[in-house]
Amino acid sequence: MSSGGECGVEPFEVIWLNINGINSNKSESSFYLLIRNPLRSNYSIMFLQEPRLKEDRVGHFEDACNWAQSKVIGHFTSNALGSGGVATIAKKDFVATTTNFLVNEVSAEECQHVTFSIGTTQFSFANVYMDSHDGSKRGTLCNTMREVLPIGTIIGGDFNMVQDLDLDTQRPHSTSPYDNGGWQQLIDMQSTLQVNDLWREENGDKRLYTHES
């Protein structure tokens, strides 16, 4: 997603990726490849979902990003089980063009709120991972985001639910009902924050997916 051009700021690009686990921070690991590829790209910020970091491991990844000569800064969540979670990695040269670049956890392990200014323009992003098994937890997170996030926040991540069961799901090999718990709270959050699903808005009633399996 690109942002900035409409408000007189040089456009920049961000990306959300579900990486389904980080297992190693060694120099030959997929984590370093994950960092190197965006450094060669136009993306200024990389929002990750499901790093699945245990509490005793998160420091290794923070150190891998945040040493003095590193070209990125990283903010990671963790928990005792090493499940779910989110992480935000930004290029240092981009952060240097901003003021008050802050990453706060809106909900532990589930949502990072990233704010910064470029000149007089303020930006607000949310990086989200919602529980894949518990609709009530998804609903609670939506309620929290609705109460805490500023209007117009750009939200991306893995929601583990959809807006429209007919348009937004593809389950040819499943006969069980799709668990879309939290849907009403999601719609309420959208309304309060005045945000739209840009993917669905762009594609209308076409059955196009951000992920196919």
Side-chain angles (χ1 to χ4, degrees):
M1 172 179 285
S2 62
S3 187
E6 70 281 356
C7 50
V9 174
E10 188 68 25
F12 59 91
E13 297 185 20
V14 303
I15 188 171
W16 283 265
L17 290 173
N18 187 307
I19 57 173
N20 202 21
I22 299 174
N23 296 313
S24 172
N25 63 330
K26 295 181 180 179
S27 59
E28 73 278 10
S29 72
S30 58
F31 175 65
Y32 275 88
L33 291 175
L34 189 67
I35 292 177
R36 283 198 292 267
N37 286 334
L39 283 174
R40 300 183 184 123
S41 74
N42 293 326
Y43 295 116
S44 297
I45 307 174
M46 183 167 57
F47 296 116
L48 307 178
Q49 299 84 51
E50 284 196 275
R52 297 184 180 180
L53 291 177
K54 290 187 176 182
E55 292 166 348
D56 61 348
R57 293 282 293 152
V58 68
H60 298 292
F61 291 91
E62 291 174 339
D63 291 345
C65 287
N66 299 330
W67 54 287
Q69 279 73 49
S70 171
K71 294 182 179 180
V72 299
I73 59 172
H75 302 264
F76 301 82
T77 70
S78 62
N79 56 57
L81 296 176
S83 61
V86 290
T88 296
I89 298 175
K91 292 178 179 177
K92 279 186 177 178
D93 58 0
F94 172 75
V95 174
T97 70
T98 74
T99 54
N100 298 321
F101 189 97
L102 299 172
V103 180
N104 294 307
E105 280 191 59
V106 168
S107 181
E109 309 154 21
E110 296 180 310
C111 178
Q112 289 175 323
H113 182 209
V114 181
T115 56
F116 54 88
S117 296
I118 300 178
T120 60
T121 304
Q122 296 181 325
F123 293 90
S124 174
F125 291 89
N127 180 21
V128 179
Y129 174 75
M130 295 192 182
D131 193 280
S132 59
H133 302 292
D134 191 335
S136 64
K137 286 190 67 176
R138 295 194 293 266
T140 298
L141 177 56
C142 287
N143 287 338
T144 300
M145 293 167 63
R146 177 170 57 85
E147 294 169 1
V148 173
L149 297 179
I151 289 175
T153 296
I154 300 172
I155 304 170
D158 186 353
F159 295 85
N160 279 307
M161 59 177 164
V162 298
Q163 291 196 12
D164 189 311
L165 288 172
D166 293 326
L167 289 176
D168 299 324
T169 58
Q170 180 176 249
R171 308 172 73 231
H173 305 299
S174 177
T175 58
S176 61
Y178 184 84
D179 177 8
N180 212 33
W183 178 86
Q184 185 59 58
Q185 291 88 346
L186 173 69
I187 300 304
D188 292 343
M189 177 191 71
Q190 283 188 243
S191 177
T192 299
L193 300 183
Q194 301 176 26
V195 295
N196 298 319
D197 181 349
L198 296 180
W199 178 264
R200 183 49 60 202
E201 198 170 80
E202 179 179 338
N203 292 291
D205 291 338
K206 297 177 183 177
R207 288 174 59 81
L208 293 174
Y209 308 94
T210 56
H211 176 265
E212 294 185 12
S213 62

